[in-house]
Amino acid sequence: MTAPRVTVFGTGAMACLMGARLARAGSRVTLVGTWPEGLRAIAAQGLAVAEDGGTWHAPAAALPLEAPPPPADAVLVLVKSWQTAAVAPHAVRAAGPSLLVTLQNGLGNREVLAAAGGRPLQGVTVMGATLLAPGLVRGFPGQVWLEEAAAALAGWLREGGFDAHAVPDIDRHLWRKLAVNCAINPLSAVLGVPNGDLLREPEPLATLDAAAAEVGAVAAAAGVALDPEEAVAAARAVARATAGNRSSMLQDLERGGRTEIGALCGAVVEAGARRGVPTPVNARLHAAVRAREAAALAAVP
């Protein structure tokens, strides 16, 4: 069987983790991005994953966003949600008639890719990943959920060691992940702590529960098979499973970058307003992260 050709848009933690495991399983992987340091590191030494007390490497190519894309059997979009509009035309061109899958956080990415002329499929990752250096990542256990039409990609991911599934009810998984993100990411970023610390004190735990429950209530109002109790249970479970991980939003703030808060809590507040569902905790977390984001960006030379 010919090795699958997979192009990954993104050079961050999750892009590197997925690319590395796919490459180690035999896929021909190319990462496409705009981060010069990441592209240089990947081009020079491939991808590296720190786990089990050591580090293993996998081969991968690296291309800037403007370069002609290589032929691909699947294109994965793993850039930050605020970068989707800029990447969308390139990802659509790279995919052509092949699989185009968004595995990004939050709401709205699928729609942006479709507006650029693509036929995107939705994917959902429920796992942690921390970028230790350009091209070097540490991963945490979790699952990958894909639309049924992406069953081939689910198989390639399983060969790479992921717990991956193609399912008929992807929107339920999307909103469940949204509840997890809205509960863990902004709170860990505001408090400056790893995910597991959110479970150790009554006040942050109450905020985590309330944020997740609001997402569950909005999802239920939108006709998605998710209720507040399940949303809370999911957020707690992921915080436990990724206890040592520093969330992507916390990592963004620490390096003075933009966050995905608009596609997370901001999107939930907007969706709740449309459906008459109050979301005060998500609104508060959205405002708190925006303030820290502005301060972090202002501090960058």
Side-chain angles (χ1 to χ4, degrees):
M1 176 182 173
T2 303
R5 301 165 299 179
V6 181
T7 298
V8 181
F9 279 78
T11 53
M14 195 61 69
C16 288
L17 181 63
M18 285 212 158
R21 288 188 176 170
L22 284 166
R24 186 170 66 166
S27 293
R28 289 177 286 169
V29 174
T30 301
L31 272 69
V32 179
T34 59
W35 183 31
E37 291 85 351
L39 293 173
R40 283 197 295 268
I42 296 164
Q45 61 189 28
L47 294 163
V49 178
E51 63 182 11
D52 299 328
T55 300
W56 55 266
H57 293 78
L63 291 174
L65 189 61
E66 300 77 15
D73 299 301
V75 170
L76 312 184
V77 182
L78 277 160
V79 299
K80 299 292 186 180
S81 59
W82 54 268
Q83 297 173 307
T84 307
V87 163
H90 303 275
V92 169
R93 182 170 66 252
S98 302
L99 288 173
L100 172 62
V101 182
T102 168
L103 288 152
Q104 300 163 272
N105 288 332
L107 299 178
N109 296 297
R110 179 170 42 182
E111 291 76 10
V112 172
L113 290 166
R119 295 176 295 168
L121 299 175
Q122 183 68 57
V124 179
T125 63
V126 186
M127 67 183 74
T130 299
L131 197 66
L132 304 177
L136 171 63
V137 65
R138 174 179 291 122
F140 296 84
Q143 297 80 39
V144 182
W145 307 95
L146 300 166
E147 289 189 60
E148 286 183 306
L153 175 60
W156 302 338
L157 289 169
R158 285 193 295 272
E159 290 174 4
F162 290 101
D163 182 10
H165 309 270
V167 296
D169 56 345
I170 196 63
D171 283 339
R172 178 175 178 274
H173 292 281
L174 177 64
W175 279 84
R176 192 173 184 268
K177 169 69 180 296
L178 184 64
V180 170
N181 280 154
C182 289
I184 294 175
N185 285 22
L187 190 56
S188 66
V190 168
L191 297 178
V193 298
N195 297 349
D197 286 13
L198 303 177
L199 304 174
R200 295 188 179 128
E201 298 294 335
E203 187 172 345
L205 179 58
T207 301
L208 180 147
D209 287 351
E214 288 179 1
V215 179
V218 176
V224 177
L226 180 72
D227 59 39
E229 292 76 16
E230 182 182 355
V232 170
R236 287 191 178 201
V238 172
R240 282 194 296 271
T242 62
N245 186 48
R246 298 175 73 80
S247 74
S248 59
M249 191 169 290
L250 175 55
Q251 294 178 58
D252 289 338
L253 290 182
E254 288 178 334
R255 64 172 172 263
R258 291 178 62 181
T259 75
E260 297 183 294
I261 193 66
L264 301 177
C265 296
V268 169
V269 171
E270 291 176 3
R274 290 195 299 271
R275 295 174 172 85
V277 179
T279 54
V281 176
N282 277 272
R284 187 168 72 248
L285 290 171
H286 180 262
V289 172
R290 283 294 190 210
R292 281 167 172 74
E293 183 182 70
L297 290 170
V300 175

